[in-house]
Amino acid sequence: MAQPFDAELEELVSKFSRDLADQIRALLLRRLGIERAPAPRAPNPRTVQVRSAPASTPSAPTSSRTKRAPNRAPATVRAPVSERRNAARPTHEERAAAIERIARIVGNGSGLSVGEIERQSGFTRSAVGSALKVLKDQGRIFMGGTKRFARYATTQAAADQASLEARRGAAA
């Protein structure tokens, strides 16, 4: 008799995690200035409609091992791995918009470091780094210098000049 309960519980947790992921994604998009109407979610074809058992049905006996001490918090139920893995991944449109935003920031600056781009964009360091890699591969921006003196600009000469100035500033 515990199987319908487990299936219903899994369905509720799955729905809750999808709704939470959608709300977080919408919040991040608003923070980034990318307004987008939330797409209606299609029902998951793998979910099973479960009816609760009648109240007169006796429940399965519980063993003493499954009982929790009254002072312990209930165990948390996690979403299936397939949902957790894709929950925070941005869509193609969101990623393209982030790349364009970083391209505008680099275009408006005169040789910016990754940290400066990170602060101006509001993205994480890893998101900025991957966007800079895409832009460099496309030939839209250039990097001058290495490591802590790396600077990004729309021309190679500007990037190299900014890197030299950063190196001189650190030596002074």
Side-chain angles (χ1 to χ4, degrees), residues 8-147:
E8 188 174 358
L9 182 63
E10 185 176 327
E11 181 182 348
L12 288 172
V13 169
S14 176
K15 181 181 181 302
F16 176 76
S17 64
R18 282 192 308 271
D19 292 345
L20 181 62
D22 288 342
Q23 291 174 359
I24 290 172
R25 188 176 300 116
L27 178 67
L28 290 173
L29 289 174
R30 281 196 309 273
R31 172 72 168 99
L32 297 174
I34 306 169
E35 292 295 327
R36 178 175 84 139
R41 273 218 183 257
N44 189 348
R46 294 185 299 172
T47 58
V48 179
Q49 294 295 329
V50 178
R51 295 183 189 196
S52 60
S56 62
T57 307
S59 63
T62 59
S63 69
S64 61
R65 265 191 287 181
T66 59
K67 292 183 181 177
R68 290 195 171 271
N71 60 349
R72 291 170 83 186
T76 57
V77 180
R78 296 177 74 184
V81 173
S82 61
E83 290 180 18
R84 283 184 278 147
R85 189 174 296 138
N86 295 325
R89 288 195 180 157
T91 64
H92 179 72
E93 293 83 18
E94 294 166 349
R95 185 166 160 75
I99 290 170
E100 288 305 314
R101 183 171 177 171
I102 289 174
R104 279 195 311 271
I105 289 170
V106 171
N108 291 337
S110 57
L112 300 172
S113 68
V114 174
E116 292 168 332
I117 297 169
E118 181 184 351
R119 282 188 291 278
Q120 289 183 26
S121 68
F123 295 129
T124 63
R125 186 169 288 267
S126 62
V128 169
S130 62
L132 288 172
K133 182 181 183 319
V134 168
L135 291 168
K136 282 192 312 185
D137 292 345
Q138 292 175 352
R140 295 174 61 188
I141 64 169
F142 298 90
M143 181 178 93
T146 58
K147 299 185 180 179

